[in-house]
Amino acid sequence: VSEYSSTDVLCGRGGGTNHHTGNNHWRALVAANKRLYISLPKKQKVLVAKSIVHAIRVQTPGGRFLQKDHELNVWNDIGDQKATEK
């Protein structure tokens, strides 16, 4: 992926990812589900995390979880499993 959109979540460290619109939306979803997440056993916590990933993916345009490949100067989707761990 050479360009990302406002619905994408950028994985990485630093100001560029912290202030991106998609990351702000993702953090808002995480914050909205935090109380529920904390109250659940581990197996059910995964379901909450997966639902957040799903909410990002079904946006229009669809959101992706992207990690920068600095050697090739492109963004790659990290997939649902790694996105759920994020």
Side-chain angles (χ1 to χ4, degrees), residues 37-78:
Y37 182 87
I38 290 170
S39 72
L40 295 173
K42 188 173 183 176
K43 287 183 179 181
Q44 291 180 332
K45 287 180 179 182
V46 173
L47 298 176
V48 173
K50 285 182 178 184
S51 73
I52 293 170
V53 170
H54 178 73
I56 295 295
R57 298 262 190 218
V58 299
Q59 297 176 94
T60 304
R64 301 165 292 186
F65 289 81
L66 301 175
Q67 178 85 45
K68 180 121 188 202
D69 181 329
H70 293 283
E71 288 183 23
L72 300 175
N73 200 33
V74 296
W75 292 87
N76 296 311
D77 194 313
I78 63 171

Side-chain angles (χ1 to χ4, degrees), residues 1-6 8 10 20 64 66 73-76:
V1 178
S2 59
E3 294 185 17
Y4 53 83
S5 75
S6 63
D8 293 327
L10 307 180
H20 179 64
R64 301 165 292 186
L66 301 175
N73 200 33
V74 296
W75 292 87
N76 296 311

